Amino acid sequence: KFTTKTGKGYGWDDPHEAAKAFYEENEELYQQTKRNQEVLGFLNKGKDGKFYFTDGVIVSETYKFKGQIVDADGNTLSEIRLGGPVKGVLHTHPAGNMGSQELFSGRDSGVAGKGLDYYMRSPKGDFRYINKAISAGQPGGTYGEKPGISLCNPSPCFAPHQ
């Protein structure tokens, strides 16, 4: 279960700002990850039209999209699926792995291509975004990886993974 963060100081008009706040709040957790681990969370749109993020959870880099989004009281808001209040995937890439962890994987861009916004915090500290339109407009690498776009200005937004 992923608990949506609500209350004082939470709720953003811009989904990118909510996503960046997720990474800021989970920076210490990310720095604790080991090879083949990622921090995973979800971006939700509330009934008030604002964007919220769930808590971050350390998962294997081969995680499955399965579970529930709940409120602070444990009430189920949604299953994790396309549509409904879930508007995006918030995840990190592990440091020290083979290949470029600075790009969205073929799996990431495939999910984005189905309509779910995807955000990524890279090991070098970049904050990247890909959606259906961006994914369709970028050629894939050998394994389907794509750069998406950086939301850092200037880059990087965060310290490198230690």
Side-chain angles (χ1 to χ4, degrees):
K1 292 186 179 184
F2 291 84
T3 304
T4 298
K5 300 286 189 173
T6 58
K8 188 176 182 182
Y10 291 103
W12 289 264
D13 294 324
D14 183 322
H16 297 333
E17 291 297 320
K20 187 173 183 190
F22 168 84
Y23 294 111
E24 290 168 348
E25 182 160 309
N26 288 286
E27 181 64 16
E28 186 176 327
L29 184 65
Y30 176 62
Q31 292 296 340
Q32 294 172 16
T33 60
K34 308 287 186 241
R35 184 178 172 168
N36 301 325
Q37 291 183 324
E38 300 185 3
V39 175
L40 175 66
F42 294 92
L43 183 68
N44 308 301
K45 190 168 187 179
K47 291 178 183 174
D48 60 0
K50 292 189 178 287
F51 292 90
Y52 298 87
F53 57 83
T54 65
D55 53 347
V57 176
I58 294 177
V59 296
S60 161
E61 68 180 347
T62 57
Y63 59 85
K64 304 271 189 226
F65 286 97
K66 205 171 182 181
Q68 298 175 325
I69 306 294
V70 299
D71 65 17
D73 296 322
N75 301 309
T76 300
L77 299 175
S78 175
E79 294 294 318
I80 297 171
R81 59 178 162 68
L82 288 173
V86 178
K87 298 301 177 193
V89 177
L90 307 166
H91 80 303
T92 63
H93 275 184
N97 277 15
M98 298 290 290
S100 177
Q101 296 299 320
E102 299 299 309
L103 304 174
F104 287 97
S105 69
R107 178 177 170 230
D108 296 344
S109 60
V111 172
K114 293 178 181 175
L116 197 58
D117 289 355
Y118 235 80
Y119 294 87
M120 184 256 297
R121 190 258 197 239
S122 77
K124 290 182 180 176
D126 202 359
F127 168 47
R128 304 192 73 77
Y129 170 72
I130 194 167
N131 64 13
K132 188 174 185 174
I134 295 167
S135 182
Q138 292 181 336
T142 304
Y143 301 103
E145 67 275 12
K146 296 183 177 187
I149 60 171
S150 176
L151 297 177
C152 291
N153 189 15
S155 185
C157 292
F158 303 101
H161 188 280
Q162 301 302 314

PDB file of all heavy atoms in Angstrom, residues 14 25 56 127:
ATOM      1  N   ASP A  14       0.856  22.242  -9.903  1.00  0.00           N
ATOM      2  CA  ASP A  14       1.684  21.749 -11.012  1.00  0.00           C
ATOM      3  C   ASP A  14       2.187  20.337 -10.684  1.00  0.00           C
ATOM      4  O   ASP A  14       2.843  20.145  -9.658  1.00  0.00           O
ATOM      5  CB  ASP A  14       2.864  22.709 -11.205  1.00  0.00           C
ATOM      6  CG  ASP A  14       3.752  22.346 -12.368  1.00  0.00           C
ATOM      7  OD1 ASP A  14       4.001  21.145 -12.611  1.00  0.00           O
ATOM      8  OD2 ASP A  14       4.243  23.266 -13.039  1.00  0.00           O
ATOM      9  N   GLU A  25      11.671  15.067  -0.616  1.00  0.00           N
ATOM     10  CA  GLU A  25      11.279  14.420   0.643  1.00  0.00           C
ATOM     11  C   GLU A  25      11.919  13.041   0.811  1.00  0.00           C
ATOM     12  O   GLU A  25      12.160  12.600   1.928  1.00  0.00           O
ATOM     13  CB  GLU A  25       9.756  14.288   0.730  1.00  0.00           C
ATOM     14  CG  GLU A  25       9.329  13.677   2.051  1.00  0.00           C
ATOM     15  CD  GLU A  25       7.887  13.945   2.394  1.00  0.00           C
ATOM     16  OE1 GLU A  25       7.469  15.112   2.359  1.00  0.00           O
ATOM     17  OE2 GLU A  25       7.195  12.973   2.704  1.00  0.00           O
ATOM     18  N   GLY A  56       7.376   7.205  -0.372  1.00  0.00           N
ATOM     19  CA  GLY A  56       8.337   6.471  -1.175  1.00  0.00           C
ATOM     20  C   GLY A  56       8.666   5.152  -0.495  1.00  0.00           C
ATOM     21  O   GLY A  56       8.780   5.087   0.726  1.00  0.00           O
ATOM     22  N   PHE A 127      16.595  15.205 -12.754  1.00  0.00           N
ATOM     23  CA  PHE A 127      15.161  14.986 -12.522  1.00  0.00           C
ATOM     24  C   PHE A 127      14.529  15.016 -13.903  1.00  0.00           C
ATOM     25  O   PHE A 127      14.484  16.044 -14.552  1.00  0.00           O
ATOM     26  CB  PHE A 127      14.653  16.105 -11.600  1.00  0.00           C
ATOM     27  CG  PHE A 127      13.168  16.236 -11.471  1.00  0.00           C
ATOM     28  CD1 PHE A 127      12.344  15.142 -11.235  1.00  0.00           C
ATOM     29  CD2 PHE A 127      12.578  17.490 -11.543  1.00  0.00           C
ATOM     30  CE1 PHE A 127      10.977  15.295 -11.085  1.00  0.00           C
ATOM     31  CE2 PHE A 127      11.212  17.661 -11.376  1.00  0.00           C
ATOM     32  CZ  PHE A 127      10.404  16.553 -11.161  1.00  0.00           C
TER      33      PHE A 127
END
